[in-house]
C-alpha cells in the first residue's frame, strides 16, 4: 500500500518574526502545490498565527512543536490542543528535547498525544534512543511506543511517528539510511503487534536527525521511511525545498 510521505520542518526556538515571515513566504512560493508529499511547517508558537495566515489556501500545513495536555486552566506559558485547532493541523509530541531538556515524562507525552487526537489534530509522535541506549534500542522504542500509546485501542490514521535517534539530532551524525530503515521497520512491526497489521502498514514513519538536502535521497528511497522530520535544514528555504522535492520524487 502506498503511503503519502510527510516532511516536517521543526524550526525549534529559532527565527525572529521578520525572519519567520520571510521564510514562510519563501516556502509558500517554492512548495505550494507540490504533490507526492505532505509538508508541515512547525514554527515557534509566537509565529503560529502568522504561519496560519500566510499559508492559508496553500498545500503547506502548519504544525506546533508542543502542546499542553489540558484543554485550559492555570498553566502559565502553556497552550492547548483546542487552542491550536484552526491554527495548526499537526502537533509534534514527545520530541527528545521535550523529554530530555524539559524532563517530559512518557505519561505526559501520552496525555499530549490523546489531547491532540481529541482536538481533531494530527500528532507526530517522536521516539528514539540516546547514544548510551544504542545497545538496547529495541527495548527503548518498545517502551516509548507502549507508553506513548497507552489507553489507545486502535492506531488512528492521523498519527505519524518520527524516529529520531537522539545522538543524530543537531550533530551532523545522521543515521545511515540502512540503519534508519531497519529501525523504522522495527517500529512498524511493533505497531502491528500493539495494534494490527493493516494500521501499522498504513502508518507514516519519518526519519529525523541531521537530515540535509545532500543526504535525504538515501532515506527517501527506503521502503519503511515515509518522509522526514527536519530541524536545522528546515530554517533554510532552499535546503528544505530540496528535501521536500526529493521526498516527493522518491
Ligand atoms: P536536526 O535536523 O537539526 O538534526 O533536528 C532534527 C530534529 O530534532 C527534528 O525534530
Amino acid at each position: 500500500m502506498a503511503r503519502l510521505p510527510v516532511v516536517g520542518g521543526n524550526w525549534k526556538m529559532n527565527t525572529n518574526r521578520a525572519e519567520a515571515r520571510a521564510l514562510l513566504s519563501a516556502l509558500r512560493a517554492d512548495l505550494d502545490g507540490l504533490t507526492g508529499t505532505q509538508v508541515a511547517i512547525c514554527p515557534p508558537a509566537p509565529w503560529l498565527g502568522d504561519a496560519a495566515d500566510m499559508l492559508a489556501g496553500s498545500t503547506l500545513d502548519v504544525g506546533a512543536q508542543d502542546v499542553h495536555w489540558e484543554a485550559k486552566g492555570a498553566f502559565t506559558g502553556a497552550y492547548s490542543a483546542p487552542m491550536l485547532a484552526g491554527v495548526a493541523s499537526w502537533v509534534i509530541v514527545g520530541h527528545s528535547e521535550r523529554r530530555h531538556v524539559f524532563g517530559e515524562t512518557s505519561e505526559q507525552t501520552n496525555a499530549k498525544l490523546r489531547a491532540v487526537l481529541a482536538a481533531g489534530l494530527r500528532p507526530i509522535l517522536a521516539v528514539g534512543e540516546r547514544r548510551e541506549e544504542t545497545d538496547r534500542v529495541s527495548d527503548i522504542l518498545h517502551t516509548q511506543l507502549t507508553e506513548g500509546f497507552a489507553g489507545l485501542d486502535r492506531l488512528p490514521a492521523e498519527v505519524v511517528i518520527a524516529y529520531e535517534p537522539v545522538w543524530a539530532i543537531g550533530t551532523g551524525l545522521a543515521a545511515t539510511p540502512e540503519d534508519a530503515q531497519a529501525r523504522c521497520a522495527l517500529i512498524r512491526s511493533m505497531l502491528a503487534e500493539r495494534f494490527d497489521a493493516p494500521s501499522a502498514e498504513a502508518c507514516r514513519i519519518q526519519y529525523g536527525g541531521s537530515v540535509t538536502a545532500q543526504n535525504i535521497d538515501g532515506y527517501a528511497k527506503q521502503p519503511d521511511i515515509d518522509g522526514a522530520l527536519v530541524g536545522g535544514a528546515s530554517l533554510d528555504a532552499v535546503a528544505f525545498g530540496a528535501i521536500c522535492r526529493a521526498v516527493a520524487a522518491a
Side-chain angles (χ1 to χ4, degrees), residues 3-218:
R3 291 179 295 265
L4 184 63
V6 187
V7 180
N10 176 7
W11 295 6
K12 307 193 181 182
M13 196 172 76
N14 293 295
T15 66
N16 61 32
R17 191 176 183 191
E19 290 164 348
R21 293 182 63 89
L23 188 48
L24 289 164
S25 142
L27 291 170
R28 180 173 185 144
D30 187 28
L31 293 172
D32 184 23
L34 181 70
T35 56
T37 188
Q38 286 180 292
V39 178
I41 309 297
C42 308
W47 321 141
L48 283 169
D50 282 346
D53 290 345
M54 293 182 65
L55 300 180
S58 78
T59 57
L60 278 68
D61 294 337
V62 177
Q65 299 174 14
D66 189 36
V67 69
H68 195 275
W69 54 89
E70 295 289 349
K72 63 176 183 168
F75 301 101
T76 299
Y79 53 91
S80 72
M83 291 173 184
L84 289 175
V87 179
S89 45
W90 299 87
V91 185
I92 302 170
V93 296
H95 191 280
S96 76
E97 287 145 22
R98 299 304 314 175
R99 295 178 193 261
H100 303 308
V101 180
F102 295 95
E104 179 170 314
T105 65
S106 359
E107 289 74 25
Q108 292 169 338
T109 300
N110 172 249
K112 290 177 178 188
L113 180 105
R114 294 203 275 173
V116 168
L117 289 169
L121 304 174
R122 301 165 175 268
I124 299 176
L125 172 64
V127 296
E129 78 286 3
R130 288 189 273 186
R131 172 64 78 197
E132 63 271 27
E133 297 168 334
T134 41
D135 56 345
R136 50 195 178 93
V137 57
S138 180
D139 288 347
I140 297 292
L141 294 175
H142 191 265
T143 301
Q144 289 176 340
L145 291 172
T146 303
E147 295 177 346
F149 287 128
L152 269 70
D153 53 11
R154 59 177 195 91
L155 179 61
E158 291 76 21
V159 174
V160 166
I161 294 176
Y163 169 60
E164 299 204 300
V166 181
W167 48 267
I169 295 177
T171 58
L173 302 171
T176 66
E178 294 72 25
D179 284 350
Q181 158 60 26
R183 305 294 191 236
C184 291
L186 178 64
I187 289 169
R188 197 176 303 288
S189 71
M190 289 173 179
L191 295 177
E193 195 185 321
R194 169 67 173 76
F195 296 103
D196 57 85
S199 54
E201 192 54 33
C203 183
R204 276 86 61 82
I205 305 177
Q206 302 169 308
Y207 167 73
S210 296
V211 169
T212 63
Q214 287 70 42
N215 67 18
I216 185 62
D217 279 332

